[in-house]
Amino acid sequence: MKLENLNIVIADDHPLFRNALRQALSNAFNHTQWVEADSAEALETVLDSKDCQFDLILLDLQMPGSHGYSTLIHLRTHYPDIPVVVISAHEDINTISRAVHYGSSGFIPKSASMEALTDALTAILYGDIWLPAGTELQPVSDDPTDKMASRLSDLTPQQYRVLQMFAEGLLNKQIAYDFGVSEATIKAHATAIFRKLGVRNRTQAVIALQQLEMEKVDIS
């Protein structure tokens, strides 16, 4: 595989970071098409566009709509052929270990140098796993977070989007309008979501999704 004529998605909600990342990496990866997404919903739209075959996704774990690891889990379930590398301000070993456990092809701290970033993406595009030097991954225990991650992976793309809309506080009729379907269809999706997540209602479903979130990190 020659590292040229690539299609790479930068999924991060900070425009200045996306721009800096694209400009820095453009020198190392010639003739690359950079596609940007500033939320989980925008990323889903990009991936569903079918305009091109993507070679890599650079994913921020805390974009709007992401709910921590949930977008990573969704990507690995429904887009298994596209490698995903997490780029995050979270640099603790638990976050890194969970990201790899849930299918990330690597973990790049936002504090990493551009040289390290280039090395990381090169390794990942050649099929390797890249982690910061000295990283010793910890086993991920079978805790509530991991159990919910497994259940979340059972959702279809539409069910996952409906769950995200539940988390945004949208009513069934609003979701039905956005999808262009009937309220009965959304109710059917909701029933399937509750069953797969092992919950009884929307509130419990949103709480279950929030189990995959992380503590906020101040990067200002």
Side-chain angles (χ1 to χ4, degrees):
M1 173 184 177
K2 297 183 66 176
L3 300 184
E4 58 184 25
N5 298 318
L6 300 171
N7 296 302
I8 298 178
V9 181
I10 302 175
D12 189 287
D13 64 330
H14 291 86
L16 291 178
F17 180 78
R18 293 198 308 270
N19 185 58
L21 196 61
R22 187 183 65 251
Q23 289 186 347
L25 292 173
S26 292
N27 295 325
F29 299 96
N30 295 324
H31 310 296
T32 291
Q33 178 180 348
W34 302 95
V35 180
E36 299 182 16
D38 61 2
S39 67
E41 181 180 5
L43 176 58
E44 191 74 21
T45 299
V46 165
L47 295 176
D48 285 345
S49 66
K50 311 296 184 185
D51 288 340
C52 61
Q53 193 72 27
F54 293 105
D55 298 288
L56 182 66
I57 299 171
L58 311 182
L59 178 67
D60 177 17
L61 293 174
Q62 288 195 302
M63 290 190 303
S66 277
H67 304 285
Y69 304 101
S70 67
T71 295
L72 172 60
I73 294 165
H74 174 71
L75 291 173
R76 302 317 303 135
T77 301
H78 297 288
Y79 303 93
D81 295 332
I82 308 176
V84 179
V85 57
V86 168
I87 299 184
S88 178
H90 291 260
E91 302 181 18
D92 61 281
I93 192 60
N94 180 61
T95 299
I96 297 174
S97 297
R98 283 194 182 274
V100 174
H101 177 72
Y102 297 139
S104 177
S105 295
F107 188 97
I108 305 172
K110 284 192 172 180
S111 61
S113 67
M114 282 301 145
E115 181 181 3
L117 182 59
T118 300
D119 290 344
L121 298 194
T122 300
I124 290 165
L125 286 164
Y126 276 118
D128 294 331
I129 302 290
W130 191 94
L131 298 172
T135 299
E136 294 185 9
L137 295 176
Q138 296 178 346
V140 175
S141 61
D142 187 22
D143 58 12
T145 299
D146 197 40
K147 290 177 180 176
M148 188 50 59
S150 178
R151 293 172 181 171
L152 187 74
S153 67
D154 289 336
L155 299 184
T156 67
Q158 273 198 324
Q159 290 167 356
Y160 177 67
R161 180 62 189 134
V162 170
L163 177 60
Q164 288 178 308
M165 289 177 161
F166 285 170
E168 293 167 13
L170 298 182
L171 301 175
N172 283 353
K173 62 181 179 181
Q174 294 173 304
I175 300 173
Y177 178 81
D178 285 348
F179 272 78
V181 299
S182 68
E183 274 192 72
T185 298
I186 299 304
K187 289 178 180 178
H189 280 314
T191 299
I193 291 167
F194 301 160
R195 174 176 52 81
K196 290 181 177 181
L197 296 185
V199 300
R200 295 182 178 181
N201 53 47
R202 286 175 58 132
T203 300
Q204 290 182 351
V206 172
I207 292 173
L209 181 63
Q210 291 171 344
Q211 290 182 27
L212 295 167
E213 294 181 351
M214 301 162 296
E215 294 182 3
K216 299 291 185 181
V217 169
D218 184 4
I219 60 172
S220 60

